[in-house]
Amino acid sequence: MLTLIQKYLDGVASPAEIEELELWIQEDKQNSKIFKEQIKLHYYSKKNIYKAFNKEIALQKIIQSIDKKRKKRDIKQWHKYAAIVIIIITSSILGKLMIFDRNVYKTKNLITEKNINAEDILLTLADGTVKVLGQQNLSSKSTYQEHSELSYQSAPVQDNSEVEYHTISIPRGRKFKLTLSDNTIVWLNAESKLKFPKVFNRNETTRIVFLEGEAFFEVTTDASQPFIVKTSGVDVKVLGTKFNVSSYFIDSMVKTTLVEGSVEISEVKKHENNIKLLPGHQASFNKKNRNLDTKKVDINQYISWLDNKLIFFNEKFENIIKRIERTYDVSIVNEYPEINTKKYTGEFDIETIEDIFRILSTSTSFNYTINQNQITIRKKN
């Protein structure tokens, strides 16, 4: 298993291997301990990165809590941050444009790997070079932030060379717009990671990207080279369409919501288990029992994050607070677990984290305290 852990930390583990690793971590507390120790060793080996961030802060953020009390960051959030340390884009610098590599791609405010800290958005190149995209606006962490963007449209076409993959990671509280070399547009939601080719090789039969987290895709049509999004549970195959994929490590479901066009969903380990999705429908894959189901949905509920909105319909409180954590970059400790299964319907737009909890606590009576970026929920006496 140590070999598999190292493959994950090096960013070369396949979706099936990642799934195997996450199941192993959840089997036993000792497995969790081993995984954490390997993370520490991995960071110590990266001296040029390690000395620039606080170890305790970084390690606490790497794996989200399996324990519902969430008094400490546990293995799953560590998994999110194990291979990459993240930064947040400030809205005040979006007007400035810098060309990083005129023949390859352009971005807003790309800087070098110097002074990397524990909250950086990182672009990791194929040779392991790490680049930082922008910096965090610390004064606005309680509200949505503007996005930044990166474009690979001007990258030269490759016909025979080996595919060169880059990886970009987005922190909590932010989203990111990425334009791939084939003009496909990808919006990445908070706490997400995408591995993608710098240039799609024309000799390949497919265009493949790897997603961990959530993203909305506007895929450029190319019947000769289908586009495939690989996640830890399913592959999503398309020719040209608009759809949303949510595949967070901590979540038990992988959800694909189709806006327009058509997609084919197939299980990673059993490709004969597949379905074709219609617009306005959602495919849900259960990681535990491996069931693949479809249903008609209100797509606005699942793509509202693109417009800086939180929309939920008859959704459990425990799921809502996960989304709030990702969206607002906060840690929520729920010491009143009885309300986890209570269901809510609502919509939030430009509200602050204070506004959201004031409204939620009015609907269901509970006390809460906000201490910087940690929110604690308690039963009202």
Side-chain angles (χ1 to χ4, degrees), residues 282-304:
Q282 181 183 83
S284 297
F285 176 75
N286 189 308
K287 294 179 183 179
K288 293 182 179 178
N289 61 29
R290 313 199 73 79
N291 283 342
L292 184 59
D293 299 311
T294 63
K295 64 179 179 179
K296 188 173 177 60
V297 296
D298 177 2
I299 61 175
N300 291 323
Q301 180 181 348
Y302 299 96
I303 64 172
S304 60

Side-chain angles (χ1 to χ4, degrees), residues 46 70 168 180 206 210 229 273 278 288 301 316 319 322 381:
K46 305 288 185 182
R70 296 190 179 187
I168 192 166
L180 303 179
T206 56
F210 300 85
V229 181
N273 183 17
L278 297 174
K288 293 182 179 178
Q301 180 181 348
K316 290 181 180 179
N319 294 331
K322 288 180 188 176
N381 296 326

Side-chain angles (χ1 to χ4, degrees), residues 180-244:
L180 303 179
S181 65
D182 65 344
N183 294 326
T184 289
I185 297 174
V186 185
W187 285 95
L188 286 156
N189 201 358
E191 202 172 42
S192 299
K193 179 166 68 176
L194 187 75
K195 182 179 178 181
F196 59 94
K198 183 178 77 173
V199 180
F200 289 106
N201 191 325
R202 284 294 178 184
N203 285 340
E204 298 288 337
T205 57
T206 56
R207 294 169 286 166
I208 297 177
V209 298
F210 300 85
L211 173 68
E212 181 183 328
E214 184 170 25
F216 182 83
F217 294 84
E218 295 182 20
V219 177
T220 299
T221 302
D222 186 348
S224 66
Q225 200 174 34
F227 192 96
I228 297 177
V229 181
K230 287 187 170 289
T231 73
S232 61
V234 297
D235 292 344
V236 183
K237 181 180 179 181
V238 304
L239 296 178
T241 187
K242 296 180 181 180
F243 61 99
N244 192 81

Side-chain angles (χ1 to χ4, degrees), residues 86-104:
I86 301 174
I87 194 175
I88 299 173
I89 308 298
T90 104
S91 57
S92 64
I93 59 177
L94 292 181
K96 302 176 184 178
L97 180 65
M98 174 185 286
I99 303 301
F100 173 62
D101 184 333
R102 198 173 297 273
N103 295 319
V104 181

Side-chain angles (χ1 to χ4, degrees), residues 2 25 45 58 92 112 121 150 197 212-213 215 219 225-226 245 262 273 327 354 366 372:
L2 292 180
I25 290 171
S45 68
S92 64
T112 66
I121 273 187
L150 178 64
E212 181 183 328
V219 177
Q225 200 174 34
V245 180
S262 65
N273 183 17
T327 301
E354 292 85 357
F366 62 80
Q372 295 183 339

